[in-house]
Amino acid sequence: DAVSQRTEDGWVLTYRVPVSLIKRFFPEFEVKSGKVIRANCFKCAEKTSRSHFITWNPVRGGKLSFHRPDCFGEMEFE
């Protein structure tokens, strides 16, 4: 479930992730409105005829890796 909106500064994307998905990998995770976490989102398509990758926050310098906390941004739960 995603909603995008164009603004003067760029884009706003609202995306809903089911709590059940988070709990599947992190069973002890507590979801509370206003809770802020650091993360990054990415899409990889390296096995297609036109390999491509996209991330929510830029991944800069060094070897391409999507598991770099220095490239994470803040996500807030509603």
Side-chain angles (χ1 to χ4, degrees), residues 5-74:
Q5 177 183 7
R6 176 101 173 148
T7 68
E8 288 182 19
D9 298 328
W11 290 89
V12 173
L13 177 64
T14 303
Y15 188 79
R16 297 179 188 274
V17 177
V19 173
S20 60
L21 178 66
I22 297 170
K23 292 275 194 179
R24 179 184 205 177
F25 297 98
F26 304 99
E28 305 298 320
F29 187 77
E30 298 273 335
V31 178
K32 296 180 183 174
S33 181
K35 181 174 187 152
V36 176
I37 62 169
R38 293 190 47 79
N40 203 351
C41 297
F42 58 92
K43 175 192 180 279
C44 299
E46 70 274 14
K47 295 182 181 180
T48 64
S49 61
R50 295 177 126 182
S51 293
H52 62 278
F53 308 89
I54 187 169
T55 61
W56 170 54
N57 277 336
V59 176
R60 301 191 201 295
K63 183 180 175 185
L64 182 61
S65 171
F66 301 112
H67 305 283
R68 293 185 34 203
D70 60 312
C71 299
F72 288 2
E74 291 187 349

